[in-house]
């Protein structure tokens, strides 16, 4: 009886995995049409493995993928996919990203730019669009290096990817931390786009207004003050004009210094606070979700391909969480008197709920208008 019970559970788990995999494959095939069929199948396997194992490690993913082959054989198949030089991650992912931007473009698009460690010795420079306290991944650049400032060329390269996806005449606001305040990037934004921007900057950088030149950090500022300087010259060498806001909230130990194309100092501060929403995305991809920082991959191109599967899995979970909220089903997987779980967590828990109780579900990787109202 114990043996039969074990076999029944094992068969049930295999059936659940197969159900997830086949549904994911059908949804992916509807969008990814220019790839080799075998590559699309492997991508569906990876998304399935990431969501079911909650890990973006190839060995962990392979154990959750339904197949008669050994786990090690499945792992080697996934490894060949991320190593395959002919697989263009941008070609696969950017159509999904473009569709997200098109649906959200009825309002101003809030783009956030930030970097995070992924794999071993690699960083990802990510640009996402803010939606409902979450940042949806749009485009990225993975490079070998440690946490810290990277080059303006990389900043511009990833923003060029995003620019090519944007609908015509859409309003855009770009948010970024202090490492993205390079004059080269500012010149690119001012000359190549019509975007507004709010970027944090360093107190050590020089600014000048009229004939006076100061380090930004030397300008007088008290706690609970917000000061604004319009049309300043930013840095000693570059002839770049921008607006500067000095902001020191009482709960902060140090002031925050912001440069922006906007003029309202309060609007600038309010927008900058939305920058932190990209950190929830990195948390979901890491410790609170897929643990991509423990992938053990050390090659930037391979990590970039792995991110295709991880970001598609993330979009599915966000869309699933939104649907659960829209249909008023959160009480099945969350507290009845209030919602404690994030949209991402609702999506993850709803899939588990469906598999456990044999409730039907449909993976979705494309935004629908009803999801964003």
């Amino acid at each position: 009886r114990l043996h039969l019970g074990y076999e029944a559970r094992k068969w049930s788990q295999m059936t659940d995995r197969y159900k997830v995999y086949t549904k994911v494959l059908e949804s992916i095939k509807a969008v990814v049409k220019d790839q080799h069929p075998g590559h699309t199948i492997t991508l569906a396997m990876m998304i399935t493995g990431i969501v079911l194992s909650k890990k973006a490690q190839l060995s962990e993913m392979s154990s959750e993928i339904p197949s008669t082959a050994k786990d090690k054989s499945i792992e080697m198949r996934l490894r060949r996919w991320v190593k395959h030089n002919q697989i263009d991650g941008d070609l696969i992912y950017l159509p999904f990203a473009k569709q997200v931007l098109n649906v959200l473009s009825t309002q101003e698009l809030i783009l956030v730019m930030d970097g995070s460690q992924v794999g071993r010795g690699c960083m990802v420079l990510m640009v996402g669009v803010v939606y409902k306290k979450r940042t949806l991944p749009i485009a990225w650049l993975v490079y070998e290096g440690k946490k810290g400032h990277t080059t303006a060329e990389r900043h511009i390269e990833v923003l060029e990817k995003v620019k090519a996806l944007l609908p015509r005449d859409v309003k855009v606001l770009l948010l970024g931390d202090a490492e993205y305040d390079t004059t080269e990037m500012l010149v690119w934004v001012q000359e190549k786009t019509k975007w507004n921007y709010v970027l944090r900057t360093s107190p050590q950088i020089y600014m000048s207004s009229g004939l006076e030149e100061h380090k930004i950090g030397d300008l007088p500022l008290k706690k609970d003050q917000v000061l604004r300087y319009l049309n300043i010259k930013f840095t000693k060498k570059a002839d770049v004009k921008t607006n500067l806001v000095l902001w020191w909230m009482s709960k902060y130990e140090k002031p925050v210094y912001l440069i922006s194309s906007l003029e309202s100092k309060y609007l600038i501060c309010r927008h900058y606070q939305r920058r932190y929403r990209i950190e929830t995305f990195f948390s979901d991809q890491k410790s609170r979700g897929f643990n991509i920082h423990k992938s053990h991959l050390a090659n930037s191109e391979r990590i970039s391909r792995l991110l295709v599967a991880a970001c598609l899995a993330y979009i599915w979970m966000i869309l699933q969480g939104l649907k659960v909220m829209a249909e008023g089903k959160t009480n099945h997987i969350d507290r009845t008197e209030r919602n404690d779980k994030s949209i991402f967590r609702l999506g993850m828990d709803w899939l588990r709920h469906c598999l456990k109780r044999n409730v039907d579900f449909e993976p979705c990787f494309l935004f629908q208008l009803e999801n964003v109202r």
Side-chain angles (χ1 to χ4, degrees):
R1 287 181 180 178
L2 288 174
H3 177 71
L4 289 175
Y6 170 76
E7 288 298 323
R9 287 195 301 273
K10 186 176 179 181
W11 176 252
S12 176
Q13 289 174 347
M14 179 62 77
T15 304
D16 287 345
R17 292 167 185 162
Y18 187 74
K19 186 189 297 185
V20 174
Y21 161 69
T22 52
K23 286 176 175 287
V24 168
L25 179 59
E26 288 305 310
S27 296
I28 290 294
K29 282 168 63 177
V31 183
V32 180
K33 298 179 180 179
D34 297 328
Q35 293 291 309
H36 186 282
H39 295 164
T40 306
I41 288 171
T42 306
L43 175 60
M45 286 180 167
M46 294 179 73
I47 295 170
T48 301
I50 289 171
V51 169
L52 293 180
S53 70
K54 299 181 183 178
K55 291 182 175 65
Q57 297 163 262
L58 301 182
S59 59
E60 298 288 344
M61 293 154 54
S62 62
S63 66
E64 296 293 335
I65 295 170
S67 175
T68 55
K70 294 180 179 179
D71 289 352
K72 197 65 180 177
S73 298
I74 298 297
E75 181 185 345
M76 292 310 297
R77 176 172 184 159
L78 307 185
R79 197 170 298 279
R80 286 193 296 271
W81 194 90
V82 298
K83 289 171 66 175
H84 203 308
N85 290 330
Q86 298 303 311
I87 293 177
D88 187 336
D90 284 351
L91 192 63
I92 297 171
Y93 186 79
L94 292 184
F96 293 93
K98 185 172 184 178
Q99 195 270 344
V100 170
L101 293 172
N102 283 336
V103 173
L104 298 182
S105 64
T106 55
Q107 299 178 352
E108 183 180 39
L109 295 176
I110 310 296
L111 300 179
V112 188
M113 191 175 185
D114 203 2
S116 184
Q117 185 179 354
V118 288
R120 291 189 300 176
C122 288
M123 295 288 297
V124 60
L125 180 57
M126 177 69 68
V127 178
V129 60
V130 174
Y131 177 67
K132 288 189 179 293
K133 297 184 179 180
R134 276 295 184 272
T135 299
L136 305 173
I138 299 300
W140 58 83
L141 183 68
V142 181
Y143 58 93
E144 295 178 11
K146 297 180 180 180
K147 193 169 183 178
H149 289 230
T150 185
T151 64
E153 288 78 8
R154 287 184 178 133
H155 302 161
I156 294 170
E157 182 180 348
V158 73
L159 290 175
E160 287 276 13
K161 289 185 183 184
V162 177
K163 182 178 175 230
L165 302 174
L166 293 171
R168 203 171 191 178
D169 299 325
V170 66
K171 291 183 178 180
V172 175
L173 174 66
L174 176 65
L175 308 178
D177 216 342
E179 70 173 281
Y180 308 110
D181 65 347
T182 61
T183 52
E184 295 91 339
M185 195 185 88
L186 275 182
V187 168
W188 181 87
V189 170
Q190 291 176 354
E191 294 183 354
K192 303 295 184 181
T193 76
K194 296 180 180 179
W195 303 353
N196 284 315
Y197 59 88
V198 176
L199 304 169
R200 190 168 180 171
T201 191
S202 166
Q204 301 303 314
I205 289 180
Y206 279 83
M207 57 80 72
S208 60
S209 178
L211 299 176
E212 296 184 8
E213 188 174 86
H214 306 273
K215 275 187 181 179
I216 290 174
D218 291 340
L219 295 170
L221 182 68
K222 297 178 181 179
K223 279 200 172 186
D224 292 321
Q225 269 192 325
V226 182
L227 301 181
R228 180 189 66 174
Y229 295 83
L230 294 176
N231 203 33
I232 63 147
K233 182 180 177 183
F234 185 66
T235 78
K236 281 185 173 182
K237 296 180 181 179
D239 189 19
V240 178
K241 294 292 184 70
T242 187
N243 301 320
L244 173 68
V245 165
L246 285 60
W247 178 31
W248 197 352
M249 290 180 66
S250 57
K251 64 181 181 180
Y252 291 166
E253 291 185 8
K254 296 180 180 179
V256 173
Y257 305 98
L258 304 170
I259 54 173
S260 178
S261 56
L262 304 175
E263 293 190 357
S264 168
K265 59 185 179 181
Y266 298 109
L267 189 60
I268 290 169
C269 295
R270 191 176 76 184
H271 278 314
Y272 180 72
Q273 288 180 308
R274 302 168 85 176
R275 187 204 70 80
Y276 296 101
R277 293 183 183 165
I278 197 170
E279 295 180 5
T280 60
F281 163 76
F282 286 130
S283 295
D284 291 337
Q285 285 286 351
K286 291 178 157 185
S287 56
R288 291 194 308 207
F290 300 149
N291 289 283
I292 198 167
H293 59 304
K294 297 180 180 178
S295 69
H296 303 308
L297 298 179
N299 179 281
S300 59
E301 292 183 0
R302 296 174 190 179
I303 293 172
S304 187
R305 293 189 191 98
L306 177 62
L307 275 167
V308 173
C311 288
L312 286 174
Y314 178 80
I315 285 180
W316 172 20
M317 291 301 104
I318 292 295
L319 289 176
Q320 191 158 264
L322 289 171
K323 187 176 182 182
V324 170
M325 294 174 66
E327 294 178 355
K329 296 178 178 178
T330 57
N331 61 306
H332 293 292
I333 53 176
D334 203 354
R335 300 178 64 156
T336 55
E337 69 274 16
R338 67 172 189 265
N339 292 336
D340 285 343
K341 296 180 180 179
S342 68
I343 297 172
F344 175 78
R345 179 70 183 278
L346 286 173
M348 294 288 285
D349 288 355
W350 182 253
L351 178 61
R352 186 172 62 180
H353 169 85
C354 291
L355 295 176
K356 185 176 181 179
R357 292 168 175 79
N358 199 28
V359 177
D360 195 27
F361 65 93
E362 287 299 328
C364 183
F365 302 93
L366 296 177
F367 259 60
Q368 306 297 326
L369 284 174
E370 56 265 27
N371 292 137
V372 300
R373 286 174 183 156

